[in-house]
Amino acid sequence: MRIALVQIAATTDPAENLAVVADGVADAAARGARLVVFPEATQCRFGVPLGPVAEPLDGAWASRVRELAADAGVTVVAGMFTPADDGRVRNTLLATGPGVEEHYDKIHLFDAFGFAESDTVAPGARPVTVTVDGVTVGLATCYDLRFAGLFQTLGDAGAQVVVVPASWGAGPGKREQWKLLVRARALDTTAFVAACDQADPEAAGRPVAGGAPTGIGISAVAGPTGSLVAALDAAPGTLVVDLDLDAVTAARRAVPVLANRRY
């Protein structure tokens, strides 16, 4: 399976970000990708009120992403915000493409390092997988990386690849933690983990929104034995990677952690 991680620096303008998605989908499809992954908060970066941005899954923003995926004949995963029943929003991944129409609401909210995502975002509760060209793909978002149980649940559901759109907060040690967690979750699931972060705003020539998790870049793919397959730097860019899914089968045969675990 050929995948593309499109590392962007989203702005506060959903229309502007949608134009970037259109360019990214076209480029990735031209390069042969079958699964095209954008970051968390692709619709609108963190650091501004999210209520006015949120749209339902049949709204204009998601509908346009759906059209782009259909026209290109690829599956697209992109982060957006949808309304919640309690006045908050949900941090949602839209997954759409030929034979694919699903969404995942972020389960683990980023109430850490002085940021309280749960003040404005309602949590999801449902682990989600989709099937792309016969391959089971799990969905997770950013802070979910710190919770091995979700990834093991996705592995139990047959996921050979887990995609992790993110908008990883900057700070001391955060880059090292990101790199470690991507590889650790791959080991936990004996699957490929493909983590697509927002680019570092500074590396993209944009002002940094103080206090908001707006990304550090370093989108990366880790293999089922924890090896780093490929990664980007901090600036915007697209990472195209061919995943050898036989490696998942081999890893699960050699180190059957999903089958062996008791808790």
Side-chain angles (χ1 to χ4, degrees):
M1 168 182 271
R2 179 169 292 183
I3 68 169
L5 305 184
V6 187
Q7 180 172 288
I8 68 170
T11 71
T12 59
D13 182 347
E16 182 178 345
N17 297 331
L18 198 52
V20 175
V21 171
D23 290 342
V25 170
D27 175 61
R31 296 165 69 179
R34 300 295 300 146
L35 175 62
V36 186
V37 185
F38 291 86
E40 175 187 26
T42 288
Q43 182 190 27
C44 176
R45 70 158 171 80
F46 287 106
V48 297
L50 299 174
V53 174
E55 293 185 9
L57 287 163
D58 60 356
W61 200 89
S63 294
R64 180 56 180 150
V65 175
R66 202 170 283 118
E67 291 174 358
L68 292 168
D71 289 347
V74 300
T75 297
V76 174
V77 177
M80 62 178 294
F81 300 100
T82 57
D85 294 337
D86 61 3
R88 293 182 290 177
V89 304
R90 294 193 187 276
N91 188 338
T92 299
L93 298 181
L94 171 67
T96 184
V100 176
E101 188 57 45
E102 188 54 280
H103 72 279
Y104 165 68
D105 294 327
K106 186 178 181 183
I107 292 174
H108 300 101
L109 300 182
F110 185 55
D111 289 357
F113 295 99
F115 190 81
E117 186 177 11
S118 64
D119 284 351
T120 57
V121 178
R126 180 177 65 104
V128 174
T129 64
V130 297
T131 303
V132 180
D133 293 346
V135 178
T136 302
V137 178
L139 305 180
T141 305
C142 201
Y143 192 52
D144 282 335
L145 265 176
R146 295 185 181 271
F147 299 90
L150 174 60
F151 285 74
Q152 292 168 335
T153 296
L154 294 171
D156 287 341
Q160 296 171 277
V161 181
V162 181
V163 297
V164 190
S167 186
W168 197 258
K174 294 298 294 297
R175 178 178 293 199
E176 290 75 13
Q177 292 167 30
W178 165 260
K179 292 178 177 179
L180 176 61
L181 288 164
V182 171
R183 295 175 65 190
R185 296 296 82 87
L187 280 169
D188 289 334
T189 54
T190 46
F192 285 97
V193 171
C196 184
D197 194 24
Q198 289 272 352
D200 183 335
E202 190 172 13
R206 294 183 178 159
V208 177
T214 50
I216 62 169
I218 323 298
S219 295
V221 177
T225 59
S227 60
L228 181 64
V229 176
L232 293 174
D233 59 16
T238 298
L239 181 65
V240 177
V241 179
D242 289 319
L243 305 183
D244 178 5
L245 298 174
D246 288 342
V248 175
T249 302
R252 289 179 175 173
R253 184 181 301 117
V255 191
V257 292
L258 293 173
N260 289 347
R261 84 180 191 282
R262 294 293 178 264
Y263 300 99

